Amino acid sequence: MVDSLIVPLFVTTDLPPEADLAEFGELLAETPRALGREGAGYEAFLAGKVFWLDRPVLPEQRPAAETELRFAGMLGYLAAAGPGHTAREVVGDVRKAIGEAVAGRYGDVGVAPAVFAIRDQDVRERTPESALYVDTPGGSAELVSATKSYL
C-alpha cells in the first residue's frame, strides 16, 4: 500500500449563471492528478460531491437572478501519495490547482475559489443528499481505495 495523506475538503466558488454543476464537478475532480511545486509533484485523488449553494429566489426575482453568479460547493476527500506531506501543503497545492482550473474554464468570476481542510465529520454531516458524486478519473488503485474508505 502506498503512503498517503487523506484530507477532508470543502471547496466553494462563484460560477457564471449558465454553469453546469456536473461539468464543474468534473473540472474539480480532474485538477489533483499531479500536485506539487517546481517539478517535485505527487499524485493525488479527489472524491466528493458537488452541489449548488444558491440563495432562495422568489418568482419576482427570477429575471435578475438569471444574470447573477451562482454559488457552488464540494465536500469530499483528497488523498495525496507519498510520505512527508502536511495537510497545509496539500491544501495549498490543491487550492492553487483548483483556482487555475476554475479561472481557465470560467474566466474571472471576481474571487478565487475557497479551498480548505475541514473535519471528517463535517463532510459526512453536511453533504446534501441531492449532491452529485465526482472523483478523479484514472486514479491509482491505492489512492482510490484509501479515499473511498472514508466515503
Side-chain angles (χ1 to χ4, degrees):
M1 173 132 224
V2 70
D3 284 337
S4 60
L5 172 69
I6 309 292
V7 181
L9 285 181
F10 182 42
V11 178
T12 64
T13 192
D14 288 326
L15 297 175
E18 71 279 358
D20 178 72
L21 186 61
E23 181 183 334
F24 170 66
E26 290 172 14
L27 178 71
L28 290 181
E30 287 284 336
T31 60
R33 285 190 177 278
L35 298 176
R37 297 176 189 73
E38 293 126 30
Y42 54 92
E43 185 180 3
F45 176 81
L46 177 67
K49 293 187 175 184
V50 293
F51 47 92
W52 292 117
L53 288 166
D54 292 334
R55 66 180 172 84
V57 177
L58 299 172
E60 61 269 13
Q61 295 172 311
R62 290 217 194 277
E66 290 174 3
T67 62
E68 292 180 5
L69 294 174
R70 297 193 72 187
F71 194 47
M74 189 218 64
L75 286 162
Y77 297 91
L78 178 73
H85 301 298
T86 67
R88 180 182 297 269
E89 291 167 341
V90 169
V91 170
D93 290 344
V94 78
R95 180 181 295 125
K96 181 179 182 214
I98 288 173
E100 290 171 357
V102 168
R105 170 60 183 94
Y106 300 107
D108 182 9
V109 292
V111 65
V115 179
F116 48 95
I118 59 173
R119 298 178 311 147
D120 176 54
Q121 182 177 351
D122 287 332
V123 175
R124 294 173 192 207
E125 291 177 356
R126 299 180 187 275
T127 303
E129 289 184 26
S130 61
L132 302 174
Y133 176 80
V134 297
D135 65 24
T136 304
S140 76
E142 293 88 2
L143 291 177
V144 171
S145 177
T147 306
K148 288 193 174 181
S149 69
Y150 284 85
L151 295 172

